[in-house]
């Protein structure tokens, strides 16, 4: 409708311009044949009336179409506002960034391990169904950082992160001579869920320490990483040797651990960039902290757009003025033994009015008028702000 209106306006202006040019040429030919100045003026005045009529008609039609176009835009905006109000869209709200560690078929306590960071495969499968039923939909970390959240209207984005690269998270098995994702792994269960609920998504970031054991199983390390990436997952930095950053002795050591990890993945998967870092043990440091964000090791540069903590709270919308990607909080996944502020706790206690609810339109950011002050308009990146 909008494109048609613009096309008609352009067509009218083009036709009127042609008519006006033709009329002026005809006037000039008629005038050139007259010797008497008064006769030339009479011809000019007579034809000028026709040109004026054409211009009046053109302007009238153009204004009418412009009014119709502007009215259509206003109607579209009103519809978006009404729809946002109906679904209570709030794209300034909180987003769950879930932190997973260990996945097992059956848990048995060992020493001090009480299962706080461990979930069984069956429980993980149930959790995925619960999240789906409650209208959560997976987005990638990069989608979040790029403000490219494309979940359906009324749904809530959620981000999965996996620390330490254990085989329970992901591994490969061989079937009929081919390498396949292990169905008894978190990645395999997500693949299974995706086949049942394609709209749930199959996204997440695996934070790896490539100097240590990484996704033990069949295939080479290169094959494992490429399999994950081709499946739609992302790989993030977890330092080369899983060090406690707060105990790093120098800026060089930090660059060796963070940049060295990037250097190694560049050799395994040429061109792949890890641009987010999950802090091992959740430990940060005020000493040489700039090197946690960016640095250079043996000619390989790194630049982290997000630094992930262990945390206990959801993070904020990427357009929220209080969002802090370089100090991003996460919610602990439910473990064998529940703890306060884990994901199960948040699912029961989070205020629905504070969650991110999508309006379903990737080109707009819809929020209640009362929350307008939470939006950093410099972060909209060309998206239209809808207030309802």
């Amino acid at each position: 409708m909008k494109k048609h209106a613009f096309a008609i306006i352009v067509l009218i202006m083009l036709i009127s311009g042609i008519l006006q040019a033709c009329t002026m040429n005809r006037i000039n030919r008629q005038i050139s044949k007259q010797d008497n100045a008064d006769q030339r003026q009479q011809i000019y005045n007579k034809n000028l009336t026709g040109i004026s009529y054409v211009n009046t008609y053109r302007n009238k039609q153009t204004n009418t179409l412009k009014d119709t176009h502007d009215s259509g835009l206003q109607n579209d905006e009103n519809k978006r506002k009404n729809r946002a109000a109906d679904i209570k869209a709030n794209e300034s709200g909180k987003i769950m960034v879930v932190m997973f560690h260990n996945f097992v078929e059956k848990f048995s306590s060992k020493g001090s391990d009480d299962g706080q960071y461990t979930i069984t495969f069956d429980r993980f499968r149930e959790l995925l169904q619960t999240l789906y039923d409650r209208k959560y939909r997976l987005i990638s970390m990069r989608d979040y950082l790029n403000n490219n959240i494309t979940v359906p209207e009324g749904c809530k984005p959620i981000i999965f992160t996996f620390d330490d690269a254990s085989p329970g998270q992901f591994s490969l098995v061989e079937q009929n001579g081919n390498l396949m994702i292990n169905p008894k792994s978190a990645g395999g269960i997500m693949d299974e869920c995706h086949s049942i609920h394609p709209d749930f998504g199959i996204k997440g970031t695996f934070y790896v320490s490539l100097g240590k054991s990484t996704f033990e199983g069949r295939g080479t390390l290169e094959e494992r990483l490429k399999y994950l990436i081709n499946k739609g997952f992302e790989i993030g930095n977890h330092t080369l040797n899983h060090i406690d950053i707060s105990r790093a002795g120098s800026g060089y050591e930090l660059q060796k651990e963070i940049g060295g990890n990037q250097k190694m993945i560049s050799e395994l998967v040429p061109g792949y960039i890890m641009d987010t870092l999950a802090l091992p043990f959740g430990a940060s440091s005020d000493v040489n902290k700039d090197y946690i964000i960016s640095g250079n090791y043996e000619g390989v540069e790194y630049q982290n757009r997000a630094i992930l903590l262990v945390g206990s709270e959801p993070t904020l919308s990427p357009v929220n003025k209080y969002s802090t990607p370089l100090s991003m909080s996460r919610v602990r996944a439910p473990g064998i033994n529940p703890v306060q502020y884990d994901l199960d706790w948040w699912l029961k206690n989070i205020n629905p009015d504070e969650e991110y609810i999508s309006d379903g339109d990737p080109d707009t950011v819809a929020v209640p008028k009362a929350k307008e002050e939470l939006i950093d308009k410099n972060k909209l990146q060309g998206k239209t702000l809808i207030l309802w």
Side-chain angles (χ1 to χ4, degrees), residues 20-64:
Q20 183 171 331
C22 292
T23 302
M24 289 304 299
N25 287 335
R26 180 169 53 80
I27 292 172
N28 291 333
R29 287 197 301 272
Q30 290 177 348
I31 290 175
S32 66
K33 294 178 182 179
Q34 303 299 321
D35 297 328
N36 186 284
D38 290 339
Q39 289 178 326
R40 289 197 298 269
Q41 186 63 47
Q42 288 175 5
I43 292 170
Y44 183 79
N45 291 341
K46 179 180 179 181
N47 285 278
L48 196 61
T49 302
I51 292 174
S52 177
Y53 175 80
V54 170
N55 286 338
T56 301
Y57 176 79
R58 179 193 65 185
N59 292 337
K60 182 178 180 181
Q61 293 299 313
T62 300
N63 289 336
T64 298

Side-chain angles (χ1 to χ4, degrees), residues 136-204:
Y136 288 95
R137 298 294 183 267
L138 286 169
I139 65 169
S140 70
M141 182 60 71
R142 284 183 183 150
D143 283 343
Y144 170 88
L145 293 171
N146 294 334
N147 188 25
N148 183 35
I149 298 176
T150 58
V151 301
E153 66 175 26
C155 290
K156 297 167 280 191
I158 190 169
I159 302 171
F160 280 2
T161 65
F162 305 85
D163 289 11
D164 300 343
S166 66
Q169 295 175 6
F170 166 78
S171 62
L172 293 175
V173 294
E174 189 172 332
Q175 293 182 358
N176 301 320
N178 297 316
L179 292 174
M180 306 292 293
I181 193 168
N182 188 346
K184 291 185 177 181
S185 70
I189 294 169
M190 289 179 70
D191 197 31
E192 171 192 315
C193 176
H194 185 248
S195 66
I196 302 170
H197 303 299
D199 58 320
F200 183 63
I202 183 165
K203 298 180 180 181

Side-chain angles (χ1 to χ4, degrees), residues 97 140-146 159 161 205 207 234-239 245 258 273-280 284 289 291-294 302-309 315-316 318 323-330:
V97 181
S140 70
M141 182 60 71
R142 284 183 183 150
D143 283 343
Y144 170 88
L145 293 171
N146 294 334
I159 302 171
T161 65
T205 304
Y207 288 92
E234 295 173 359
I235 308 298
N237 207 323
H238 205 41
T239 73
I245 282 179
I258 301 172
I273 302 296
M274 296 187 293
D275 57 4
T276 62
L277 168 71
L279 297 171
S284 186
K289 63 181 180 181
Y291 290 121
I292 297 175
I293 300 173
S294 62
Y302 62 90
Q303 178 76 44
N304 288 309
R305 301 172 62 196
I307 308 295
L308 280 61
L309 311 176
T315 195
L316 293 172
S323 67
T324 55
L326 294 178
S327 182
M328 184 182 291
S329 59
R330 292 189 284 176

Side-chain angles (χ1 to χ4, degrees), residues 233-268:
F233 293 105
E234 295 173 359
I235 308 298
N237 207 323
H238 205 41
T239 73
L240 184 63
N241 295 295
H242 199 269
I243 69 163
D244 184 339
I245 282 179
S246 66
R247 298 181 180 180
S250 66
Y252 173 78
E253 187 176 356
L254 282 174
Q255 291 181 96
K256 181 181 179 181
E257 282 294 325
I258 301 172
N261 212 30
Q262 174 59 55
K263 183 175 186 292
M264 190 167 178
I265 199 170
S266 297
E267 295 166 353
L268 293 164

